[in-house]
Amino acid sequence: MPKRIVVGISGASGVIYGIRLLEVLRDHPEVETHLVISAEGAHTIKIETGRNPREIAALATRHYEIDNLAAAISSGSFRTDGMVIIPCSMKTLAGIATGYTDNLLTRAADVTLKERRTLVLVPRESPLHTIHLENLLKLAQMNAIILMPDPPFYIQPKTLDDIIDYVVGKTLDYFHIEHDLFRRWQGG
Ligand SMILES: Cc1cc2nc3c(=O)[nH]c(=O)nc-3n(C[C@H](O)[C@H](O)[C@H](O)COP(=O)(O)O)c2cc1C
């Protein structure tokens, strides 16, 4: 069976991270990507990149509409290697943390948690208030990986692409997908 990764793009700033992840995974024929973009995710893609969300959807192996709760990824019986939400808005975070799964993005994340699969969340908001922090803590305690999209400056990023590739590369690490998107620390 190919590796299957569910990719969610929500309406937080930084949709470019999700787009870059899809572009990188397109060059990995051993990996299937199953994509769901929230309504605000699609809106943010237009605002932040000027690109058409349909064009982004075409990067994935399969794409599902946000209100299609009968999609394959809505069921735990559809086997996957896990899910990443990149970027993850505070609203989507809250839906997952409270089990309120009223769209395919939050439902697929809920399934990932209940099936004890890898869930990587790339949250984006600043500053954070108590509810955001409580939701992050709750999900970290359920073994979700909270991957903040902030770069380590010891890699000496020269461009925004360096920073984006670092976050995408770190995401791939959790799914055991080989890449050379950034230079790994070998000691000072
Ligand atoms: C351009 C833009 C940037 C946004 N950035 C953020 C953000 O960084 N973090 C966040 O939590 N919400 C952000 N929002 C607000 C969310 O889009 C909003 O809360 C929305 O309801 C999230 O819905 P979703 O989680 O279903 O995508 C942004 C909205 C827009 C239009």
Side-chain angles (χ1 to χ4, degrees), residues 60-102:
T61 313
R62 283 176 74 177
H63 166 248
Y64 309 90
E65 297 299 330
I66 185 69
D67 56 358
N68 180 9
L69 284 157
I73 57 172
S74 200
S75 169
S77 66
F78 183 74
R79 285 161 62 186
T80 75
D81 293 272
M83 176 171 187
V84 54
I85 305 184
I86 178 169
C88 182
S89 76
M90 294 302 103
K91 179 217 165 197
T92 288
L93 180 80
I96 301 166
T98 54
Y100 188 78
T101 60
D102 66 340

Coordinates of all heavy atoms in Angstrom, one line a residue, residues 60-102:
A60 N -2.9 17.6 -5.5 CA -3.0 16.4 -4.6 C -3.5 15.2 -5.4 O -4.0 15.3 -6.5 CB -4.1 16.7 -3.5
T61 N -3.2 14.0 -4.8 CA -3.7 12.8 -5.5 C -5.2 12.8 -5.5 O -5.8 12.4 -6.5 CB -3.2 11.5 -4.7 OG1 -1.8 11.7 -4.4 CG2 -3.4 10.3 -5.5
R62 N -5.8 13.1 -4.3 CA -7.3 13.2 -4.3 C -7.6 14.4 -3.5 O -6.9 14.8 -2.5 CB -7.9 12.0 -3.6 CG -7.9 10.8 -4.5 CD -8.5 9.5 -3.8 NE -9.9 9.6 -3.6 CZ -10.6 8.6 -3.0 NH1 -10.0 7.5 -2.7 NH2 -11.9 8.7 -2.9
H63 N -8.7 15.1 -3.9 CA -9.2 16.3 -3.2 C -10.6 16.1 -2.9 O -11.4 15.5 -3.6 CB -9.0 17.5 -4.2 CG -9.7 18.7 -3.7 ND1 -10.9 19.2 -4.3 CD2 -9.6 19.5 -2.6 CE1 -11.3 20.2 -3.7 NE2 -10.5 20.4 -2.6
Y64 N -11.0 16.5 -1.7 CA -12.4 16.4 -1.2 C -12.9 17.7 -0.8 O -12.2 18.6 -0.3 CB -12.4 15.5 0.1 CG -11.7 14.2 -0.1 CD1 -10.3 14.1 0.2 CD2 -12.3 13.0 -0.5 CE1 -9.7 12.9 0.1 CE2 -11.7 11.8 -0.6 CZ -10.3 11.8 -0.3 OH -9.7 10.6 -0.4
E65 N -14.2 17.9 -1.1 CA -14.9 19.2 -0.7 C -15.0 19.2 0.8 O -15.3 18.2 1.5 CB -16.3 19.3 -1.3 CG -16.2 19.3 -2.9 CD -15.5 20.6 -3.4 OE1 -15.4 21.6 -2.7 OE2 -14.9 20.4 -4.5
I66 N -15.0 20.4 1.4 CA -15.0 20.6 2.9 C -16.3 20.1 3.5 O -16.3 19.6 4.7 CB -14.7 22.1 3.2 CG1 -14.6 22.3 4.7 CG2 -15.8 23.0 2.6 CD1 -13.4 21.7 5.4
D67 N -17.4 20.1 2.8 CA -18.7 19.7 3.3 C -19.0 18.2 3.0 O -20.1 17.7 3.3 CB -19.8 20.6 2.9 CG -19.9 20.7 1.4 OD1 -19.1 20.1 0.7 OD2 -20.8 21.4 0.9
N68 N -18.0 17.5 2.4 CA -18.3 16.1 2.0 C -18.0 15.2 3.2 O -16.9 14.5 3.2 CB -17.5 15.7 0.8 CG -17.7 14.3 0.3 OD1 -18.6 13.6 0.9 ND2 -16.9 13.8 -0.6
L69 N -18.9 15.1 4.1 CA -18.6 14.2 5.3 C -18.7 12.7 5.0 O -18.5 11.9 5.9 CB -19.5 14.7 6.5 CG -19.0 16.0 7.1 CD1 -20.1 16.7 7.8 CD2 -17.8 15.7 8.0
A70 N -19.1 12.4 3.8 CA -19.1 11.0 3.4 C -17.8 10.6 2.6 O -17.7 9.5 2.1 CB -20.3 10.7 2.5
A71 N -16.8 11.5 2.6 CA -15.6 11.2 1.9 C -14.8 10.1 2.6 O -15.0 9.8 3.8 CB -14.7 12.5 1.9
A72 N -13.9 9.5 1.8 CA -13.1 8.3 2.4 C -12.5 8.7 3.7 O -12.5 7.9 4.7 CB -12.1 7.9 1.3
I73 N -11.8 9.9 3.8 CA -11.0 10.2 4.9 C -11.9 10.6 6.2 O -11.4 10.9 7.2 CB -10.1 11.4 4.6 CG1 -10.9 12.7 4.1 CG2 -9.0 11.0 3.6 CD1 -10.1 13.9 4.0
S74 N -13.2 10.5 6.0 CA -14.2 10.7 7.1 C -14.3 9.4 7.9 O -14.9 9.5 9.0 CB -15.5 11.1 6.5 OG -16.3 11.8 7.5
S75 N -13.8 8.3 7.5 CA -13.9 7.0 8.2 C -12.6 6.5 8.6 O -11.6 6.5 7.8 CB -14.6 6.0 7.2 OG -14.5 4.7 7.8
G76 N -12.5 5.9 9.8 CA -11.3 5.3 10.3 C -11.0 4.0 9.5 O -9.9 3.6 9.6
S77 N -12.0 3.5 8.8 CA -11.7 2.2 8.1 C -10.9 2.5 6.8 O -10.3 1.6 6.2 CB -13.0 1.5 7.7 OG -13.7 2.3 6.8
F78 N -10.8 3.7 6.4 CA -9.9 4.1 5.3 C -8.5 4.4 5.9 O -8.4 5.3 6.7 CB -10.4 5.4 4.6 CG -9.6 5.8 3.4 CD1 -9.7 5.2 2.2 CD2 -8.8 6.9 3.5 CE1 -9.0 5.5 1.1 CE2 -8.0 7.3 2.4 CZ -8.1 6.6 1.2
R79 N -7.6 3.5 5.5 CA -6.3 3.5 6.2 C -5.4 4.6 5.7 O -5.3 4.8 4.5 CB -5.6 2.2 6.1 CG -6.3 1.1 7.0 CD -6.0 -0.3 6.6 NE -4.5 -0.6 6.7 CZ -4.0 -1.7 6.2 NH1 -4.8 -2.6 5.7 NH2 -2.7 -1.9 6.3
T80 N -4.8 5.4 6.6 CA -3.9 6.4 6.2 C -2.7 6.4 7.2 O -2.8 5.7 8.3 CB -4.5 7.8 6.3 OG1 -4.6 8.2 7.7 CG2 -5.9 7.9 5.6
D81 N -1.6 7.1 6.8 CA -0.5 7.1 7.7 C -0.6 8.3 8.6 O 0.4 8.6 9.4 CB 0.8 7.2 6.9 CG 1.0 5.9 6.2 OD1 1.6 5.0 6.7 OD2 0.5 5.7 5.0
G82 N -1.6 9.1 8.5 CA -1.8 10.3 9.4 C -2.2 11.5 8.6 O -2.5 11.4 7.4
M83 N -2.2 12.6 9.4 CA -2.7 13.8 8.8 C -1.9 15.0 9.3 O -1.4 15.0 10.4 CB -4.2 14.0 9.3 CG -4.8 15.3 8.8 SD -6.6 15.3 9.2 CE -7.1 16.9 8.4
V84 N -1.8 16.0 8.4 CA -1.2 17.3 8.8 C -2.2 18.4 8.4 O -2.8 18.4 7.3 CB 0.2 17.5 8.1 CG1 0.2 17.4 6.6 CG2 0.8 18.9 8.5
I85 N -2.3 19.4 9.3 CA -3.1 20.6 9.0 C -2.1 21.7 9.0 O -1.5 22.1 10.0 CB -4.2 20.8 10.0 CG1 -5.1 19.5 10.1 CG2 -5.1 22.0 9.6 CD1 -6.3 19.7 11.0
I86 N -1.9 22.3 7.8 CA -0.8 23.2 7.6 C -1.3 24.3 6.6 O -1.4 24.0 5.4 CB 0.4 22.4 7.1 CG1 1.6 23.3 6.7 CG2 0.1 21.5 5.8 CD1 2.9 22.6 6.5
P87 N -1.6 25.5 7.1 CA -1.6 25.9 8.5 C -2.9 25.6 9.2 O -3.9 25.3 8.5 CB -1.4 27.5 8.3 CG -2.2 27.8 7.1 CD -2.0 26.6 6.1
C88 N -2.8 25.6 10.5 CA -4.0 25.3 11.3 C -4.5 26.6 12.0 O -3.8 27.2 12.8 CB -3.7 24.2 12.3 SG -5.1 23.7 13.3
S89 N -5.7 27.0 11.7 CA -6.3 28.2 12.3 C -6.7 27.8 13.7 O -6.9 26.7 14.1 CB -7.5 28.6 11.5 OG -8.6 27.8 11.8
M90 N -7.0 28.9 14.5 CA -7.4 28.7 15.9 C -8.8 28.1 16.0 O -9.2 27.4 16.9 CB -7.3 30.0 16.7 CG -5.9 30.5 16.9 SD -4.8 29.3 17.7 CE -3.8 28.6 16.4
K91 N -9.6 28.4 14.9 CA -11.0 27.9 14.9 C -10.9 26.4 14.6 O -11.6 25.6 15.3 CB -11.8 28.5 13.8 CG -13.2 28.0 13.6 CD -13.6 28.0 12.2 CE -14.8 27.2 11.9 NZ -15.0 26.8 10.6
T92 N -10.1 25.9 13.7 CA -10.0 24.5 13.4 C -9.4 23.8 14.6 O -9.8 22.7 15.0 CB -9.2 24.3 12.1 OG1 -10.0 24.7 11.0 CG2 -8.8 22.8 11.9
L93 N -8.4 24.4 15.2 CA -7.8 23.9 16.4 C -8.9 23.6 17.5 O -8.9 22.6 18.1 CB -6.7 24.8 16.9 CG -6.0 24.4 18.2 CD1 -4.9 23.4 17.8 CD2 -5.4 25.6 18.9
A94 N -9.7 24.6 17.7 CA -10.8 24.5 18.7 C -11.7 23.4 18.4 O -12.1 22.6 19.3 CB -11.5 25.9 18.8
G95 N -12.1 23.3 17.1 CA -13.0 22.2 16.7 C -12.4 20.8 17.0 O -13.1 19.9 17.5
I96 N -11.1 20.7 16.7 CA -10.5 19.4 17.0 C -10.4 19.1 18.5 O -10.7 18.0 19.0 CB -9.1 19.3 16.3 CG1 -9.2 19.5 14.8 CG2 -8.4 18.0 16.6 CD1 -7.9 19.9 14.2
A97 N -10.0 20.2 19.2 CA -9.7 20.0 20.7 C -11.0 19.7 21.4 O -11.0 19.1 22.5 CB -9.1 21.3 21.2
T98 N -12.2 20.1 20.9 CA -13.4 19.9 21.6 C -14.2 18.7 21.0 O -15.3 18.4 21.4 CB -14.3 21.2 21.6 OG1 -14.4 21.6 20.2 CG2 -13.6 22.3 22.4
G99 N -13.7 18.1 19.9 CA -14.4 17.1 19.3 C -15.6 17.5 18.5 O -16.5 16.7 18.1
Y100 N -15.7 18.8 18.1 CA -16.8 19.4 17.4 C -16.4 19.3 15.9 O -15.8 20.2 15.4 CB -17.1 20.8 17.9 CG -18.3 21.4 17.3 CD1 -19.6 21.1 17.8 CD2 -18.3 22.3 16.2 CE1 -20.7 21.6 17.3 CE2 -19.4 22.9 15.7 CZ -20.7 22.5 16.2 OH -21.8 23.0 15.7
T101 N -16.9 18.3 15.3 CA -16.4 18.0 13.9 C -17.5 18.2 12.9 O -18.1 17.3 12.4 CB -15.9 16.6 13.8 OG1 -16.9 15.7 14.1 CG2 -14.7 16.3 14.8
D102 N -17.7 19.5 12.5 CA -18.8 19.8 11.7 C -18.4 20.0 10.2 O -19.2 20.4 9.4 CB -19.5 21.1 12.2 CG -18.6 22.3 12.1 OD1 -17.4 22.2 12.0 OD2 -19.2 23.4 12.1

